Amino acid sequence: MLAVAAGAALAPLAGRQLHAQDAPTPVAAVPASTLDPTAERHGLSAFGDLKYPADFARFDYVEPTAPKGGTFSQVGPTVAYNQSFNTFNTLNGYILKGDGAQGLALIFDSLMARADDEPDAVYGLVAQSVAVSPDGTTYRFRLRPEARFHDGSALTAEDAAFSLNLLKEKGHPIIVQNLRDLESATAEDIGTLILRFAASRARDVPLYAAQLPIFSKAYYSTRNFDESTLDPPLGSGPYRIGKFEVGRFIAYERVADYWGRDLPVNVGINNFDVLRYEYFRDRDVAFEAFKARAYLFREEFTSRTWATGYDFPALKDGRVKQAETPDATPSGAQGWFLNTRRPQFADPRVREALSYAFDFEWTNRNLMFGLYRRTSSFFENSDLKAEGAAGPDELALIETLKGRLTPQQVEVLKGAPWSPPVSDGSGQDRALLRKGAQLLKEAGWTIRDGRLVDGAGKGMTIEFLDDEPSLERHTAPFIKNLKLLGIEANFRMVDAAQYQRRLNDFDFDATVRRFSVSTVPGESLRAFMGSRAAATPGSNNLSGIADPAVDLLVETVIAADSRDRLRTACKVLDRQLRAGRYWVPQWYSGAHRLAYWDVFGKPAQPAPAYDRGMPATWWAKPA
């Protein structure tokens, strides 16, 4: 399923500032060389908690003596911004135009790098330290003088400031949305970057900005950033673009003299000489290619294949390994997202009625070998999910919001959140279909000559849009039940470019997505479910959610000043979102299902809690 990462972080009522490890010391506007060293910190997190001290040598989940060499090849499991699973036609992955190649982040360095065994912590990469003003609006990054681009030119604060301003002006709409509270990015001198944020910014915005790519100002002085291109851009990261064929594969080559290879955040990672992403238009074809060793690693997302396909000779004799590892990250929201901009989906009763036509229990047993669980929450598989009637903390928060919510909304938030119906597993649960028909009738729809029509006699039609066929067999039984309700529905598959264009323009009735959220939600909530994003082409708000109560609760999440308050606010937001019936929920697994040719070494310790751990921490076996 399409996991839209894109720095996805989601976030009640007090201070919004992002904390360093200790309470930041006031920082005067003086050159970096004269700053009080005690004002500087080696890392950042949303609430100030860092696992690793300033003198840490490496992350705990890596093998520091891992050998370098070999190749890691895969079909990429996630996409961000303009990337597609099925093809690519541009090497610019940070704008709206085109389908960006997967893996482009490998060629760019950022100010700070993520620790995958912590919920949200980042540590110095290009920036060796950061000082934060007491009000949390100004961040002064001190850059490493040894930082270099691949052509040997120095990477300076001017490049970093240029990059953030460029992305805010011309970047992908998701980036622009996430940076809207970055008020300025300026170079105080060659080694000092100053970022100023709005006082109302989300707690994760500085973290997000610190992980964005740094481009060469000189390189883009002669090039248009907002154009699709197949010219490999100048980078500074551990890899550079190697061989590629548009729509078929792209390979990244390790930079042997990479300037940052010995930094603590890089010890034991980036071990492969080549990282290669393969593209296939069909999942079955991709699986056959894996069996033939056309690529070496695969995360399996097709339950039928996992249950019945792994019986080929290489697996039986041990040359291919299978593994299931827990996924501690929120599984997020996966399902058929309904475009409420379409008149037929304007009434939430209509949207709820569609859920009664999807028989998950039958689908899971007959098509997915019972390997999945039903998704019901926008924060599924996490402690951010609302369950049962609102608890004391939630009730206390709801009480503070009473004056800004209607009495009906308050009652909805206090009660048990809406969950999709449980069927009898027959594939055609008549009791559920009767409930769906009753909701449609209450919403003003009637059956005329076997068709569901509105007051003007216009029939209801639904096109399920996709760019690949793997979910067609899951959608077909759903369509059959919708027709029993008088709804004309069909599955429409288009090419990847047309699919992305239609999503960007919100030109669809329903489509499948999985939106992943972070363990510390923040700014990306505005892009996923905010009213402003509903009218922004290319945004992640596919359903067109434009609910003032949701906007209020998103800001409440963003303003949370502790992890406990964050959890409480997310649960209340989850209740309101689920009350809106914006999607027909599908399923999740809560685990990574992995298969790989036995040519890899990996650390003895478990993978980090918030990442698969590969390919970053694996290596090629010398033999």
Side-chain angles (χ1 to χ4, degrees):
M1 303 316 306
L2 182 55
V4 182
L10 311 186
L13 290 174
R16 295 177 168 84
Q17 69 193 59
L18 180 75
H19 302 282
Q21 186 176 24
D22 302 308
T25 302
V27 178
V30 296
S33 60
T34 62
L35 281 176
D36 179 357
T38 63
E40 298 186 0
R41 302 292 179 259
H42 66 292
L44 297 170
S45 76
F47 298 106
D49 46 346
L50 294 176
K51 172 182 176 180
Y52 295 97
D55 60 349
F56 81 103
R58 60 176 176 85
F59 293 132
D60 290 345
Y61 50 84
V62 305
E63 170 50 60
T65 62
K68 307 294 185 184
T71 295
F72 185 99
S73 52
Q74 65 173 330
V75 172
T78 61
V79 295
Y81 307 128
N82 67 351
Q83 294 172 355
S84 166
F85 281 115
N86 297 330
T87 190
F88 75 94
N89 50 40
T90 179
L91 299 180
N92 188 343
Y94 299 96
I95 60 172
L96 184 60
K97 293 181 182 178
D99 298 300
Q102 290 176 286
L104 287 168
L106 293 164
I107 71 172
F108 298 109
D109 274 328
S110 55
L111 293 168
M112 307 191 105
R114 177 77 194 273
D116 291 325
D117 57 348
E118 298 181 77
D120 61 351
V122 293
Y123 296 88
L125 179 52
V126 170
Q128 63 184 20
S129 63
V130 58
V132 187
S133 65
D135 63 358
T137 61
T138 303
Y139 286 66
R140 177 177 280 102
F141 293 89
R142 187 155 58 92
L143 275 56
R144 301 182 193 274
E146 66 270 28
R148 291 289 183 273
F149 289 103
H150 292 156
D151 64 356
S153 60
L155 190 163
T156 70
E158 286 194 2
D159 296 300
F162 165 80
S163 301
L164 288 168
N165 289 320
L166 184 66
L167 287 167
K168 181 175 181 178
E169 179 187 358
K170 297 183 177 181
H172 190 279
I174 294 173
I175 299 176
V176 174
Q177 168 73 24
N178 287 341
L179 290 181
R180 71 174 188 171
D181 287 333
L182 172 63
E183 293 185 340
S184 66
T186 57
E188 185 176 79
D189 55 46
I190 195 171
T192 310
L193 173 71
I194 308 296
L195 302 185
R196 291 186 171 85
F197 299 93
S200 60
R201 57 112 178 120
R203 79 177 58 77
D204 62 326
V205 173
L207 292 174
Y208 179 78
Q211 296 176 82
L212 285 172
I214 299 175
F215 307 122
S216 166
K217 180 178 180 179
Y219 178 85
Y220 282 104
S221 65
T222 59
R223 295 167 176 84
N224 291 326
F225 173 75
D226 55 350
E227 293 294 333
S228 296
T229 180
L230 290 174
D231 293 330
L234 177 62
S236 60
Y239 289 87
R240 58 166 53 93
I241 295 174
K243 296 179 180 179
F244 64 90
E245 290 185 29
V246 172
R248 296 189 61 189
F249 76 89
I250 183 168
Y252 298 88
E253 300 173 349
R254 188 168 61 86
V255 179
D257 59 350
Y258 168 48
W259 73 270
R261 62 185 179 276
D262 297 323
L263 295 176
V265 295
N266 286 328
V267 171
I269 68 171
N270 304 320
N271 301 316
F272 294 97
D273 282 346
V274 176
L275 294 178
R276 180 171 163 132
Y277 292 81
E278 304 286 348
Y279 287 84
F280 297 90
R281 298 274 183 165
D282 184 278
R283 290 192 188 189
D284 291 333
V285 173
F287 181 56
E288 292 302 316
F290 173 74
K291 290 161 62 176
R293 200 170 170 168
Y295 60 98
L296 300 172
F297 178 92
R298 174 180 177 86
E299 181 165 359
E300 187 56 69
F301 296 102
T302 304
S303 55
R304 170 176 52 86
T305 303
W306 187 253
T308 66
Y310 286 85
D311 60 353
F312 50 95
L315 186 115
K316 292 178 179 179
D317 64 26
R319 287 176 292 148
V320 169
K321 302 292 186 182
Q322 279 182 289
E324 286 198 34
T325 62
D327 181 4
T329 60
S331 292
Q334 178 178 304
W336 288 282
F337 282 82
L338 307 172
N339 187 358
T340 63
R341 303 170 187 83
R342 299 284 207 238
Q344 70 263 35
F345 298 138
D347 193 316
R349 291 172 295 186
V350 172
R351 304 194 293 268
E352 180 178 347
L354 303 184
S355 293
Y356 289 98
F358 173 54
D359 193 328
F360 167 76
E361 286 66 31
W362 182 92
T363 302
N364 193 34
R365 186 180 69 248
N366 290 279
L367 301 181
M368 301 189 299
F369 301 86
L371 292 176
Y372 287 91
R373 289 173 278 179
R374 187 72 189 270
T375 295
S376 60
S377 166
F378 282 75
F379 302 96
E380 193 62 70
N381 193 42
S382 78
D383 60 358
L384 310 177
K385 175 183 176 179
E387 297 184 85
D393 291 344
E394 293 175 81
L395 290 173
L397 174 58
I398 294 168
E399 191 67 26
T400 67
L401 301 174
K402 259 187 174 180
R404 304 170 70 182
L405 298 169
T406 67
Q408 182 182 12
Q409 288 170 334
V410 170
E411 291 308 308
V412 166
L413 295 178
K414 289 181 177 180
W418 180 81
S419 293
V422 178
S423 78
D424 61 10
S426 66
Q428 189 175 311
D429 189 321
R430 294 186 178 182
L432 294 186
L433 289 172
R434 281 196 295 270
K435 288 182 181 179
Q438 180 61 35
L439 284 170
L440 291 169
K441 183 178 180 180
E442 292 173 5
W445 294 81
T446 58
I447 296 293
R448 185 182 303 170
D449 299 327
R451 296 180 65 225
L452 187 71
V453 298
D454 61 15
K458 183 179 179 181
M460 181 182 290
T461 62
I462 302 175
E463 179 184 86
F464 291 91
L465 185 69
D466 213 326
D467 64 345
E468 54 103 10
S470 62
L471 285 181
E472 185 170 10
R473 69 193 192 107
H474 303 73
T475 310
F478 185 20
I479 288 175
K480 176 178 70 69
N481 282 343
L482 289 173
K483 289 185 177 180
L484 293 176
L485 294 175
I487 299 170
E488 289 297 320
N490 65 86
F491 182 89
R492 173 80 182 278
M493 191 172 74
V494 298
D495 64 71
Q498 184 180 167
Y499 177 74
Q500 192 60 51
R501 185 166 58 251
R502 289 186 61 177
L503 290 192
N504 290 342
D505 294 338
F506 306 126
D507 181 20
F508 66 93
D509 296 332
T511 192
V512 171
R513 276 287 176 104
R514 173 189 169 196
F515 285 103
S516 296
V517 297
S518 87
T519 53
V520 187
E523 176 62 36
S524 65
L525 281 181
R526 289 170 173 156
F528 178 18
M529 55 194 67
S531 296
R532 178 183 296 185
T536 303
S539 83
N540 278 334
N541 191 345
L542 294 183
S543 288
I545 302 171
D547 178 357
V550 169
D551 291 337
L552 170 63
L553 290 167
V554 165
E555 297 308 311
T556 303
V557 171
I558 288 174
D561 61 354
S562 72
R563 294 193 189 277
D564 287 341
R565 290 192 176 102
L566 174 72
R567 281 190 290 271
T568 299
C570 284
K571 289 178 181 180
V572 176
L573 172 60
D574 191 31
R575 295 174 187 278
Q576 181 65 22
L577 287 167
R578 289 158 70 175
R581 317 294 202 269
Y582 296 109
W583 59 326
V584 178
Q586 289 183 338
W587 48 81
Y588 75 100
S589 71
H592 297 292
R593 299 187 177 105
L594 312 176
Y596 53 92
W597 287 82
D598 190 18
V599 296
F600 300 122
K602 52 186 176 181
Q605 55 270 36
Y610 303 106
D611 190 76
R612 302 182 311 169
M614 74 290 292
T617 67
W618 286 22
W619 61 87
K621 289 181 180 178

